[in-house]
Amino acid sequence: MRFKTLLLLLCLLLPQFALADGPPKKPNYPEGVSSISPGSELWGAVRQRDGVLLDGVSQVRGVDAGILINEQGYRWARFRVSELTLYSAWALAGVLVLIFLIYVIRGKVGIEGGLSGNMVRRFSDYERIVHWVLAIVFLFLALSGLILLLGRPLLIPLFGKEVFSLMASASKEGHNLVGPLFLVSLLMMIFSFVRRNIYEKGDLTWLLKGGGFIGKDHVSGGFFNMGEKTWYWMVILIGLVISVSGLILVMPIFGQGRIIMEIAHVIHVIGALALIVVSIGHMYMGSIGTEGTLEGMKTGYVDINWADAHHDRWGRECHEKDLIVSAEEYARLVGKPSVDEADGRETT
Amino acid sequence: MARMKFYCDAERCIECNACVTACKNEHEIPWGVNRRRVVTIKDGEEGERSLSVACMHCSDAPCATVCPVDCFYTTGDGIVLHDKDICIGCGYCFYACPFGAPQFPEEAAFASRGKMDKCTFCAGGPEEDHSSDETRKYGRNRLAEGKLPLCAEMCSTKALLSGDADVISDIYRKRVINRGASAFNWGVNFNNSKISG
């Protein structure tokens, strides 16, 4: 009995001896034939596995008609419905909350010593028209664009598909029609405001001191301060990018394919969102954020104390050149706009 | 319940474009709009293949995902359709679709997009079957008549198949076996046919 068990154990050890003998010999198969399916290569190329767009031909005449599969499209769609929608909604909500908090904590930024009632000419009628045309066009485009961007997750649950379809259709048609006007008013903005928006000495100091936003001290500034200049250049540069990408999207007549339009769309939306977010800050600063600022864009005149407080270098210039208009004179000018209104116009 | 699918056999398609013509005629599609097209890859080179392509009625359709007004819906037969009363003609489905299926009639100046038009698998739209509204907006509704899409029905080489996915994949599977897809015979080889389809 014991002997038999020992024999059995020895048998179990046998394979070990076989291994110790060296690696097992390969069975003698015939040489393999290396053959890749031509189909796999072709369809791999169609699916752009190597990242190269395969262009075929088609009897159907149209842009991209020869492209069997556009891989980029699905990536764009995913980006559009997940990241783009989500982050833009958060960015908008975030900036609104931020502005609200600033208003609650900091409140309206007043002028030391209050308003004097004596005014000084800041913007001409033409400049104000340019500003407000651009502002209204921008607001319309921003609103209609946001309806198209965020409507499906936010507005369809509220209004239903039928009503929202009407809103979205009006937004799309309006956006397409008004869009080119943005470019026109942007060009007007470039020519009328560019001279005073070139960066100069002192702008860096303004930035380093946080624009007077932090602390009590007023920071020295010229006709436009560093923040206003940066906003101006943002509007111009991003505005031009939005205009060009918008024209690529709205006029599919230059032979641009889907991939170009997908890229244009992403650039268009990100650029527009950047402008919208900063514009909310601009609107706050220009209206309820600071005392006496809106007056400049409403009537063209600002209080001399406002000028001294926020734009001291320009204010000093106004004092030196004696451009200050008395309160009575101002009331007459604003109440009855006439040719002599232009006399008080400030030129730098 | 069926799961409707198109299948185009690249080994059979001869780029005759009859499917394109049949579709245009059946649905009276306006000039410039093509619900179906034939694409030839490697035209004139070795390994040239042609495929007839239209809306593939995806299970997870990118067009439906990206539509800002949510006008797409999938029927019980797995056909992706859209509601032209909801569609605003923004073009997003055209950017998103891998197959280039969504088409836009040029409505006004600068080629501004009208309401999107695409292959309906000859199943019409959300309107009542065979109503004049349905015909005007979406073309004929052959499925409601118990017929399959005309493009595939009249394909001369039976390259383009349409119908229940189970049925057409069975047909295709038999074809592949018939071609004797051995290591030496990739692609077409009718000599090695053993099973009759």
Side-chain angles (χ1 to χ4, degrees):
Chain A
M1 189 69 189
R2 182 167 283 210
F3 176 72
K4 272 185 181 172
T5 320
L6 207 66
L7 202 71
L8 208 66
L9 280 168
L10 272 173
C11 285
L12 281 171
L13 284 171
L14 273 175
Q16 256 73 19
F17 290 116
L19 266 178
D21 219 20
K25 277 183 185 148
K26 269 188 184 171
N28 201 16
Y29 293 134
E31 276 292 300
V33 177
S34 168
S35 168
I36 305 158
S37 163
S40 77
E41 265 180 33
L42 181 73
W43 302 125
V46 167
R47 286 293 306 273
Q48 297 146 43
R49 300 277 188 222
D50 49 0
V52 181
L53 193 68
L54 186 75
D55 209 354
V57 292
S58 179
Q59 292 305 307
V60 166
R61 295 289 170 242
V63 180
D64 283 356
I67 295 170
L68 203 51
I69 292 175
N70 172 26
E71 281 281 309
Q72 185 88 17
Y74 198 59
R75 233 171 291 145
W76 170 81
R78 284 272 159 234
F79 179 73
R80 164 68 176 71
V81 295
S82 48
E83 282 95 340
L84 204 55
T85 315
L86 188 70
Y87 294 146
S88 57
W90 280 117
L92 286 173
V95 75
L96 288 174
V97 168
L98 188 72
I99 296 287
F100 180 74
L101 285 177
I102 287 170
Y103 186 66
V104 168
I105 294 164
R106 175 92 203 213
K108 192 166 191 159
V109 177
I111 298 164
E112 274 175 69
L115 299 169
S116 68
N118 294 330
M119 310 299 274
V120 63
R121 184 75 159 166
R122 187 162 169 81
F123 298 115
S124 73
D125 291 351
Y126 175 72
E127 285 162 347
R128 278 180 294 136
I129 288 168
V130 168
H131 173 267
W132 287 114
V133 167
L134 185 66
I136 290 163
V137 167
F138 176 78
L139 283 177
F140 176 81
L141 291 172
L143 195 68
S144 54
L146 287 175
I147 286 174
L148 290 171
L149 181 65
L150 301 170
R152 182 164 166 179
L154 294 182
L155 298 178
I156 287 181
L158 285 177
F159 302 114
K161 279 186 194 178
E162 280 77 16
V163 176
F164 177 69
S165 172
L166 279 175
M167 286 169 68
S169 185
S171 296
K172 176 223 158 192
E173 301 295 344
H175 201 88
N176 289 357
L177 281 170
V178 177
L181 274 183
F182 179 74
L183 183 58
V184 174
S185 43
L186 193 70
L187 291 174
M188 283 157 68
M189 176 62 88
I190 293 176
F191 292 123
S192 54
F193 284 88
V194 70
R195 222 152 33 89
R196 284 163 295 178
N197 275 296
I198 293 162
Y199 289 105
E200 58 190 358
K201 222 179 86 182
D203 284 341
L204 196 65
T205 327
W206 188 94
L207 181 69
L208 292 174
K209 288 189 178 177
F213 190 71
I214 307 147
K216 282 270 174 195
D217 294 344
H218 273 299
V219 185
S220 174
F223 186 90
F224 285 129
N225 63 37
M226 159 83 184
E228 288 168 318
K229 285 177 184 175
T230 306
W231 167 234
Y232 172 83
W233 288 111
M234 266 188 82
V235 169
I236 300 303
L237 297 177
I238 301 179
L240 285 173
V241 170
I242 296 175
S243 302
V244 171
S245 56
L247 288 175
I248 290 172
L249 289 167
V250 78
M251 292 183 188
I253 49 173
F254 305 112
Q256 67 269 43
R258 280 167 290 176
I259 291 173
I260 290 172
M261 290 200 245
E262 284 152 13
I263 295 165
H265 171 271
V266 171
I267 292 171
H268 192 78
V269 176
I270 291 174
L273 275 167
L275 279 193
I276 290 168
V277 164
V278 184
S279 79
I280 293 171
H282 172 72
M283 284 183 253
Y284 168 77
M285 295 297 284
S287 56
I288 56 171
T290 49
E291 191 182 0
T293 308
L294 192 61
E295 212 63 18
M297 264 306 158
K298 257 163 72 183
T299 64
Y301 289 88
V302 288
D303 201 280
I304 185 64
N305 284 3
W306 180 90
D308 286 334
H310 295 294
H311 302 273
D312 59 335
R313 292 206 298 276
W314 175 64
R316 214 176 305 133
E317 208 176 303
C318 293
H319 283 293
E320 282 162 12
K321 289 186 182 171
D322 198 22
L323 296 169
I324 298 157
V325 178
S326 70
E328 300 80 51
E329 181 74 356
Y330 169 66
R332 194 184 65 78
L333 284 170
V334 173
K336 189 178 64 166
S338 57
V339 272
D340 49 346
E341 194 179 0
D343 296 347
R345 192 188 157 185
E346 144 64 16
T347 46
T348 38
Chain B
M1 186 150 289
R3 172 69 179 91
M4 290 302 182
K5 275 286 162 200
F6 280 121
Y7 189 85
C8 186
D9 191 339
E11 307 299 341
R12 283 183 176 231
C13 180
I14 55 169
E15 201 205 348
C16 70
N17 279 291
C19 48
V20 179
T21 316
C23 175
K24 288 204 77 138
N25 189 53
E26 182 78 350
H27 302 295
E28 300 190 15
I29 295 167
W31 183 256
V33 173
N34 289 283
R35 291 184 177 182
R36 180 171 280 288
R37 71 188 194 280
V38 178
V39 178
T40 304
I41 307 150
K42 291 187 170 184
D43 189 29
E45 295 169 39
E46 197 188 330
E48 172 184 327
R49 294 287 185 280
S50 293
L51 270 187
S52 174
V53 63
C55 173
M56 301 298 267
H57 303 280
C58 310
S59 302
D60 180 15
C63 54
T65 306
V66 84
C67 177
V69 292
D70 199 11
C71 77
F72 291 90
Y73 62 99
T74 307
T75 70
D77 293 330
I79 300 166
V80 177
L81 297 179
H82 71 296
D83 189 338
K84 284 194 182 183
D85 293 341
I86 302 281
C87 174
I88 59 169
C90 66
Y92 285 2
C93 49
F94 172 66
Y95 306 154
C97 177
F99 308 108
Q103 302 281 305
F104 293 89
E106 289 182 13
E107 206 166 55
F110 305 116
S112 74
R113 299 184 181 99
K115 290 183 187 297
M116 189 270 276
D117 189 83
K118 74 167 189 70
C119 160
T120 63
F121 208 86
C122 289
E127 275 85 355
E128 197 189 328
D129 287 346
H130 307 309
S131 62
S132 61
D133 269 353
E134 188 192 52
T135 312
R136 182 170 52 81
K137 290 177 193 164
Y138 307 97
R140 277 191 59 194
N141 189 342
R142 289 172 56 90
L143 239 67
E145 297 168 10
K147 297 170 184 167
L148 283 170
L150 188 66
C151 50
E153 288 295 274
M154 63 165 298
C155 177
S156 57
T157 59
K158 289 283 161 271
L160 188 62
L161 304 172
S162 73
D164 185 8
D166 284 347
V167 178
I168 58 168
S169 52
D170 262 355
I171 296 171
Y172 185 64
R173 203 173 295 122
K174 279 176 190 164
R175 282 185 189 176
V176 169
I177 297 165
N178 272 345
R179 285 170 198 159
S182 75
F184 301 103
N185 295 309
W186 284 116
V188 192
N189 189 330
F190 299 104
N191 295 331
N192 291 359
S193 297
K194 289 185 184 73
I195 303 168
S196 55

